[in-house]
Amino acid sequence: MKLARFSQASVDGVRIGRVEGDTIIDLSAFLGVNASMRHLIANLEALKGQLDAIKTPILKLSDVTLEAPINDPQKYLAIGMNYKEHAEEARAAGITIPTSQMWFNKQVSCINGPFAPVVKWTAVEKCDYEIELAVVIGKKCHQVKREDARSVVAGYMVSNDVSARDWLPKSPTFTLGKSWDTHGPIGPWITTDDEIEDPLNLEMKLWINNELRQNHRTNDMIYNIWDQIAYLTQVMTLEPGDIIATGTPSGIGAPKGIFLQPGDVMRLEIEGLGTIENPVVAEKA
């Protein structure tokens, strides 16, 4: 199942729908308008049969605006330097490679829609892109064993960990450089776990202005998804709707000194999960 949040200029509110091909089935008659995707995810197993049974109304995807699939997670956690080639890329730039999982927060206020503009803020000189596989937690969980980790996953999304590189050193936790408003595009929808045979071997691609910059598979992770969930839940309880960004492969702009500018267009695609595309715009006066 592919679950999306969407809006229409002629209709008030944001609705949840089920994406099928180039159409979306409006589920608001059952869930209500402005329903919480976080609440739906927490109850997805119980509601799945009823959601599958809804066949109408059907809208064309081209007639709606896809919003961030989940707009109110309690946590948006991301792991740094978690792809082997990206870690070597960082090492070559003089960055010390961590010897354990290195986590930081993206503040949830950065969350942005899958096709919404990303602002190049005036105070940011080095704005960069990072394609990442995002995991959406489906169950409240604590101290999860690695072998059980997949059972707490609701689904997956494409995410762009837009990064203000010049602001990363201003907080040792990276939080300031990772949390600028609009710098967290996610989507285009949540693809439930049962639709993805092996999330540890998906192709990822990112283009800037139609130039392929990142092209890798998720099997290059140093710590895979299950390692990450087991590690995090030693420390904290994860809640339904929490987002985990699982790391970016090599090919980011920083090592070449190439950064995003207004007018650039970022297009990100992960096998089986869809495509998001975000234009870069200048901060308005």
Side-chain angles (χ1 to χ4, degrees), residues 63-87:
D63 291 338
V64 307
T65 298
L66 291 176
E67 308 288 348
I70 181 162
N71 64 322
D72 61 347
Q74 292 189 346
K75 306 180 200 65
Y76 188 168
L77 302 164
I79 188 171
M81 288 180 279
N82 190 42
Y83 277 70
K84 298 182 185 74
E85 287 190 12
H86 177 50

mmCIF file of all heavy atoms in Angstrom, residues 63-87:
data_model
loop_
_atom_site.group_PDB
_atom_site.id
_atom_site.type_symbol
_atom_site.label_atom_id
_atom_site.label_comp_id
_atom_site.label_asym_id
_atom_site.label_seq_id
_atom_site.Cartn_x
_atom_site.Cartn_y
_atom_site.Cartn_z
ATOM 1 N N ASP A 63 -3.979 15.905 -10.673
ATOM 2 C CA ASP A 63 -4.969 16.910 -10.254
ATOM 3 C C ASP A 63 -4.852 17.283 -8.776
ATOM 4 O O ASP A 63 -5.658 18.074 -8.278
ATOM 5 C CB ASP A 63 -6.395 16.400 -10.528
ATOM 6 C CG ASP A 63 -6.707 16.320 -12.013
ATOM 7 O OD1 ASP A 63 -6.040 17.025 -12.793
ATOM 8 O OD2 ASP A 63 -7.611 15.545 -12.387
ATOM 9 N N VAL A 64 -3.878 16.692 -8.066
ATOM 10 C CA VAL A 64 -3.730 16.982 -6.642
ATOM 11 C C VAL A 64 -2.299 17.433 -6.355
ATOM 12 O O VAL A 64 -1.402 17.253 -7.180
ATOM 13 C CB VAL A 64 -4.070 15.751 -5.764
ATOM 14 C CG1 VAL A 64 -5.448 15.201 -6.116
ATOM 15 C CG2 VAL A 64 -3.011 14.663 -5.894
ATOM 16 N N THR A 65 -2.106 18.013 -5.195
ATOM 17 C CA THR A 65 -0.764 18.366 -4.713
ATOM 18 C C THR A 65 -0.393 17.398 -3.599
ATOM 19 O O THR A 65 -1.095 17.309 -2.587
ATOM 20 C CB THR A 65 -0.727 19.805 -4.170
ATOM 21 O OG1 THR A 65 -1.045 20.717 -5.216
ATOM 22 C CG2 THR A 65 0.654 20.133 -3.611
ATOM 23 N N LEU A 66 0.666 16.650 -3.813
ATOM 24 C CA LEU A 66 1.128 15.732 -2.775
ATOM 25 C C LEU A 66 1.854 16.521 -1.694
ATOM 26 O O LEU A 66 2.774 17.295 -1.984
ATOM 27 C CB LEU A 66 2.039 14.660 -3.363
ATOM 28 C CG LEU A 66 1.363 13.639 -4.284
ATOM 29 C CD1 LEU A 66 2.407 12.696 -4.878
ATOM 30 C CD2 LEU A 66 0.286 12.841 -3.553
ATOM 31 N N GLU A 67 1.447 16.303 -0.451
ATOM 32 C CA GLU A 67 2.072 16.953 0.703
ATOM 33 C C GLU A 67 3.058 15.977 1.356
ATOM 34 O O GLU A 67 3.135 14.810 0.978
ATOM 35 C CB GLU A 67 0.989 17.363 1.708
ATOM 36 C CG GLU A 67 -0.148 18.185 1.126
ATOM 37 C CD GLU A 67 0.249 19.601 0.768
ATOM 38 O OE1 GLU A 67 1.360 20.035 1.182
ATOM 39 O OE2 GLU A 67 -0.534 20.286 0.071
ATOM 40 N N ALA A 68 3.817 16.443 2.333
ATOM 41 C CA ALA A 68 4.693 15.537 3.089
ATOM 42 C C ALA A 68 3.845 14.394 3.635
ATOM 43 O O ALA A 68 2.803 14.644 4.256
ATOM 44 C CB ALA A 68 5.370 16.284 4.225
ATOM 45 N N PRO A 69 4.229 13.144 3.399
ATOM 46 C CA PRO A 69 3.388 12.025 3.818
ATOM 47 C C PRO A 69 3.084 11.995 5.306
ATOM 48 O O PRO A 69 2.027 11.539 5.722
ATOM 49 C CB PRO A 69 4.205 10.789 3.401
ATOM 50 C CG PRO A 69 5.090 11.272 2.321
ATOM 51 C CD PRO A 69 5.407 12.705 2.662
ATOM 52 N N ILE A 70 4.035 12.454 6.090
ATOM 53 C CA ILE A 70 3.791 12.602 7.528
ATOM 54 C C ILE A 70 4.372 13.950 7.947
ATOM 55 O O ILE A 70 5.545 14.232 7.688
ATOM 56 C CB ILE A 70 4.373 11.430 8.339
ATOM 57 C CG1 ILE A 70 4.077 11.623 9.820
ATOM 58 C CG2 ILE A 70 5.846 11.221 8.075
ATOM 59 C CD1 ILE A 70 4.228 10.350 10.621
ATOM 60 N N ASN A 71 3.524 14.786 8.518
ATOM 61 C CA ASN A 71 3.937 16.158 8.813
ATOM 62 C C ASN A 71 4.207 16.406 10.292
ATOM 63 O O ASN A 71 4.676 17.479 10.663
ATOM 64 C CB ASN A 71 2.873 17.137 8.335
ATOM 65 C CG ASN A 71 1.556 16.978 9.082
ATOM 66 O OD1 ASN A 71 1.154 15.860 9.404
ATOM 67 N ND2 ASN A 71 0.863 18.070 9.338
ATOM 68 N N ASP A 72 3.913 15.416 11.134
ATOM 69 C CA ASP A 72 4.020 15.657 12.579
ATOM 70 C C ASP A 72 4.691 14.516 13.334
ATOM 71 O O ASP A 72 4.224 14.097 14.387
ATOM 72 C CB ASP A 72 2.629 15.904 13.162
ATOM 73 C CG ASP A 72 1.689 14.713 12.967
ATOM 74 O OD1 ASP A 72 2.028 13.793 12.175
ATOM 75 O OD2 ASP A 72 0.624 14.693 13.605
ATOM 76 N N PRO A 73 5.814 13.983 12.822
ATOM 77 C CA PRO A 73 6.492 12.938 13.596
ATOM 78 C C PRO A 73 7.028 13.507 14.901
ATOM 79 O O PRO A 73 7.347 14.692 14.993
ATOM 80 C CB PRO A 73 7.637 12.500 12.677
ATOM 81 C CG PRO A 73 7.945 13.723 11.885
ATOM 82 C CD PRO A 73 6.610 14.386 11.644
ATOM 83 N N GLN A 74 7.136 12.653 15.903
ATOM 84 C CA GLN A 74 7.740 13.115 17.152
ATOM 85 C C GLN A 74 9.257 13.222 17.023
ATOM 86 O O GLN A 74 9.877 14.041 17.702
ATOM 87 C CB GLN A 74 7.351 12.169 18.284
ATOM 88 C CG GLN A 74 5.872 12.218 18.635
ATOM 89 C CD GLN A 74 5.551 11.434 19.894
ATOM 90 O OE1 GLN A 74 6.351 10.642 20.376
ATOM 91 N NE2 GLN A 74 4.365 11.662 20.436
ATOM 92 N N LYS A 75 9.840 12.395 16.162
ATOM 93 C CA LYS A 75 11.297 12.425 15.979
ATOM 94 C C LYS A 75 11.633 12.290 14.499
ATOM 95 O O LYS A 75 10.958 11.564 13.761
ATOM 96 C CB LYS A 75 11.976 11.266 16.722
ATOM 97 C CG LYS A 75 11.663 11.134 18.194
ATOM 98 C CD LYS A 75 12.414 9.951 18.794
ATOM 99 C CE LYS A 75 11.817 9.447 20.084
ATOM 100 N NZ LYS A 75 10.458 8.886 19.926
ATOM 101 N N TYR A 76 12.695 12.999 14.104
ATOM 102 C CA TYR A 76 13.285 12.821 12.778
ATOM 103 C C TYR A 76 14.779 12.640 13.036
ATOM 104 O O TYR A 76 15.512 13.597 13.270
ATOM 105 C CB TYR A 76 13.000 14.036 11.902
ATOM 106 C CG TYR A 76 13.392 13.899 10.447
ATOM 107 C CD1 TYR A 76 12.958 14.825 9.508
ATOM 108 C CD2 TYR A 76 14.205 12.857 9.985
ATOM 109 C CE1 TYR A 76 13.299 14.728 8.162
ATOM 110 C CE2 TYR A 76 14.550 12.738 8.658
ATOM 111 C CZ TYR A 76 14.094 13.682 7.754
ATOM 112 O OH TYR A 76 14.444 13.578 6.424
ATOM 113 N N LEU A 77 15.229 11.393 13.047
ATOM 114 C CA LEU A 77 16.597 11.032 13.381
ATOM 115 C C LEU A 77 17.358 10.661 12.113
ATOM 116 O O LEU A 77 16.800 10.070 11.192
ATOM 117 C CB LEU A 77 16.607 9.842 14.346
ATOM 118 C CG LEU A 77 15.853 10.051 15.665
ATOM 119 C CD1 LEU A 77 15.586 8.716 16.342
ATOM 120 C CD2 LEU A 77 16.661 10.955 16.584
ATOM 121 N N ALA A 78 18.633 11.001 12.072
ATOM 122 C CA ALA A 78 19.441 10.710 10.891
ATOM 123 C C ALA A 78 20.827 10.260 11.311
ATOM 124 O O ALA A 78 21.383 10.754 12.296
ATOM 125 C CB ALA A 78 19.522 11.938 9.988
ATOM 126 N N ILE A 79 21.384 9.342 10.547
ATOM 127 C CA ILE A 79 22.708 8.794 10.843
ATOM 128 C C ILE A 79 23.722 9.381 9.865
ATOM 129 O O ILE A 79 23.435 9.547 8.676
ATOM 130 C CB ILE A 79 22.694 7.253 10.789
ATOM 131 C CG1 ILE A 79 24.009 6.673 11.295
ATOM 132 C CG2 ILE A 79 22.370 6.737 9.382
ATOM 133 C CD1 ILE A 79 23.981 5.156 11.480
ATOM 134 N N GLY A 80 24.891 9.717 10.366
ATOM 135 C CA GLY A 80 25.930 10.326 9.547
ATOM 136 C C GLY A 80 26.960 9.328 9.064
ATOM 137 O O GLY A 80 27.270 8.352 9.754
ATOM 138 N N MET A 81 27.495 9.569 7.875
ATOM 139 C CA MET A 81 28.594 8.792 7.277
ATOM 140 C C MET A 81 28.366 7.287 7.406
ATOM 141 O O MET A 81 29.201 6.553 7.936
ATOM 142 C CB MET A 81 29.929 9.212 7.907
ATOM 143 C CG MET A 81 30.374 10.583 7.453
ATOM 144 S SD MET A 81 31.930 11.147 8.146
ATOM 145 C CE MET A 81 31.397 11.755 9.752
ATOM 146 N N ASN A 82 27.249 6.837 6.873
ATOM 147 C CA ASN A 82 26.856 5.440 7.036
ATOM 148 C C ASN A 82 26.980 4.627 5.757
ATOM 149 O O ASN A 82 26.547 3.478 5.723
ATOM 150 C CB ASN A 82 25.412 5.359 7.567
ATOM 151 C CG ASN A 82 25.047 3.958 7.987
ATOM 152 O OD1 ASN A 82 25.842 3.259 8.611
ATOM 153 N ND2 ASN A 82 23.848 3.515 7.617
ATOM 154 N N TYR A 83 27.550 5.195 4.706
ATOM 155 C CA TYR A 83 27.840 4.430 3.493
ATOM 156 C C TYR A 83 29.344 4.368 3.325
ATOM 157 O O TYR A 83 30.051 5.370 3.531
ATOM 158 C CB TYR A 83 27.196 5.085 2.271
ATOM 159 C CG TYR A 83 25.739 4.717 2.084
ATOM 160 C CD1 TYR A 83 24.765 5.192 2.952
ATOM 161 C CD2 TYR A 83 25.351 3.862 1.048
ATOM 162 C CE1 TYR A 83 23.437 4.850 2.787
ATOM 163 C CE2 TYR A 83 24.017 3.519 0.873
ATOM 164 C CZ TYR A 83 23.067 4.011 1.743
ATOM 165 O OH TYR A 83 21.744 3.666 1.589
ATOM 166 N N LYS A 84 29.852 3.208 2.955
ATOM 167 C CA LYS A 84 31.296 2.998 2.905
ATOM 168 C C LYS A 84 31.978 4.012 1.993
ATOM 169 O O LYS A 84 32.968 4.647 2.377
ATOM 170 C CB LYS A 84 31.602 1.570 2.441
ATOM 171 C CG LYS A 84 31.085 0.476 3.362
ATOM 172 C CD LYS A 84 31.472 -0.901 2.840
ATOM 173 C CE LYS A 84 30.853 -2.015 3.688
ATOM 174 N NZ LYS A 84 29.396 -2.156 3.442
ATOM 175 N N GLU A 85 31.462 4.178 0.773
ATOM 176 C CA GLU A 85 32.102 5.099 -0.166
ATOM 177 C C GLU A 85 31.975 6.552 0.298
ATOM 178 O O GLU A 85 32.887 7.355 0.100
ATOM 179 C CB GLU A 85 31.519 4.927 -1.564
ATOM 180 C CG GLU A 85 31.961 3.643 -2.253
ATOM 181 C CD GLU A 85 31.568 3.605 -3.713
ATOM 182 O OE1 GLU A 85 31.150 4.663 -4.258
ATOM 183 O OE2 GLU A 85 31.677 2.538 -4.334
ATOM 184 N N HIS A 86 30.862 6.883 0.921
ATOM 185 C CA HIS A 86 30.693 8.240 1.435
ATOM 186 C C HIS A 86 31.653 8.494 2.600
ATOM 187 O O HIS A 86 32.213 9.594 2.730
ATOM 188 C CB HIS A 86 29.249 8.451 1.891
ATOM 189 C CG HIS A 86 28.990 9.793 2.501
ATOM 190 N ND1 HIS A 86 29.374 10.977 1.902
ATOM 191 C CD2 HIS A 86 28.388 10.158 3.667
ATOM 192 C CE1 HIS A 86 29.016 11.997 2.662
ATOM 193 N NE2 HIS A 86 28.426 11.532 3.747
ATOM 194 N N ALA A 87 31.866 7.477 3.440
ATOM 195 C CA ALA A 87 32.811 7.624 4.547
ATOM 196 C C ALA A 87 34.223 7.865 4.012
ATOM 197 O O ALA A 87 34.970 8.697 4.549
ATOM 198 C CB ALA A 87 32.774 6.386 5.436
#
